[in-house]
Amino acid sequence: MPKGKTDEQSLDPHETLKNPSKSDEKHAAAMKDLRDKAPWKGVRVVRGGAEIAWYLPSDGIIVAKGTAVIEASALQVLDFVFPKTLAGAQQTFNVIYEMTRAVDLEMHGDVAWLWMHINYGVAGIADREVLYTLRVFHAPSGAIFVFVFPLEKWDKHPPRKDLVRAGFYAGSGFIIEPLSDTTCCVTFLSRTSACGRIPLWVTNYLATSKGRLICQLQSYFRVNSPRMA
């Protein structure tokens, strides 16, 4: 261990998540470590008091986060970020991820399978497609974790020549922590590879835009607050 570093400081949480635990409790703890202990760069507070940050580990993965207080209960946010119907998925991605051009969803038990077609809107950068799964873990603390894991294969969506296949890595997802019956703190974590060579400025833009996803979520609930219904 390098001199002057404690056990807690010696390993970037990003490295830990390269071999995700099969235990929900341990995986949730690893996500919290990533949120709280990663060597975040570009930290900034944006509209609504949301905080976004990102950094680029040496392995080429883009790691980003966004944290904000949301004017809705933890369960109301969960219902929105973990859609269980295709119509729900389309609404969610129309709100929080403006780069999405198309989305597909199927439920397999309590696991959602998702496919996205992403257009970065940057000349010379090919469109991407992403396959991944969503699963929910309710922690004893009351926090809710929405785990994102890569989906290696979905027969309905074989690789396409016109799209570059990218992916989310374990450690991506949402941490939803209740603050009251009508508010919660939500963190979105993203560990992704853009797949393919792209300019550094585009990488930086993508990292920032992933963190800003939380701002879209915050704005949506501010306008469509369930408390106003």
Side-chain angles (χ1 to χ4, degrees):
M1 183 188 307
K3 194 180 230 181
K5 284 200 172 186
T6 66
D7 287 336
E8 185 176 316
Q9 297 170 326
S10 62
L11 188 63
D12 180 346
H14 168 74
E15 297 295 322
T16 304
L17 284 161
K18 288 182 180 179
N19 296 294
S21 171
K22 293 182 180 179
S23 159
D24 285 348
E25 292 83 356
K26 290 183 178 179
H27 191 70
M31 285 181 65
K32 288 186 70 174
D33 280 348
L34 182 66
R35 179 192 67 184
D36 299 335
K37 301 175 183 177
W40 296 106
K41 311 289 184 184
V43 180
R44 68 182 74 171
V45 177
V46 293
R47 68 178 187 270
E51 180 183 281
I52 63 172
W54 57 272
Y55 74 106
L56 306 175
S58 58
D59 57 8
I61 303 300
I62 302 171
V63 185
K65 75 169 179 177
T67 300
V69 173
I70 306 295
E71 296 177 8
S73 73
L75 289 177
Q76 287 162 337
V77 172
L78 173 62
D79 286 344
F80 190 77
V81 301
F82 183 49
K84 296 180 180 178
T85 65
L86 179 56
Q90 290 169 335
Q91 179 191 19
T92 296
F93 286 100
N94 283 341
V95 168
I96 65 176
Y97 205 60
E98 61 187 13
M99 297 177 185
T100 304
R101 290 294 173 264
V103 62
D104 195 6
L105 175 144
E106 285 184 0
M107 292 300 300
H108 294 260
D110 60 354
V111 177
W113 288 20
L114 281 132
W115 169 88
M116 283 195 304
H117 171 190
I118 300 171
N119 176 277
Y120 292 142
V122 179
I125 305 300
D127 285 12
R128 264 59 172 168
E129 64 173 343
V130 184
L131 294 177
Y132 63 99
T133 67
L134 293 178
R135 185 166 58 83
V136 176
F137 169 61
H138 294 264
S141 65
I144 303 171
F145 292 79
V146 180
F147 297 149
V148 173
F149 289 102
L151 179 60
E152 298 299 328
K153 182 182 178 182
W154 187 355
D155 289 341
K156 187 177 178 181
H157 292 287
R160 289 169 46 177
K161 292 183 179 180
D162 61 323
L163 299 176
V164 175
R165 179 155 291 187
F168 285 101
Y169 292 89
S172 301
F174 292 88
I175 304 173
I176 307 169
E177 297 172 301
L179 298 176
S180 71
D181 290 342
T182 56
T183 59
C184 58
C185 179
V186 181
T187 296
F188 172 67
L189 293 168
S190 172
R191 295 177 65 245
T192 60
S193 172
C195 291
R197 298 182 62 182
I198 56 177
L200 180 59
W201 73 267
V202 176
T203 300
N204 293 342
Y205 166 77
L206 295 177
T208 302
S209 69
K210 291 175 189 297
R212 287 185 180 276
L213 177 151
I214 203 71
C215 301
Q216 302 296 102
L217 184 65
Q218 185 186 50
S219 296
Y220 172 80
F221 277 106
R222 185 175 293 123
V223 173
N224 302 277
S225 174
R227 292 183 295 172
M228 304 297 291

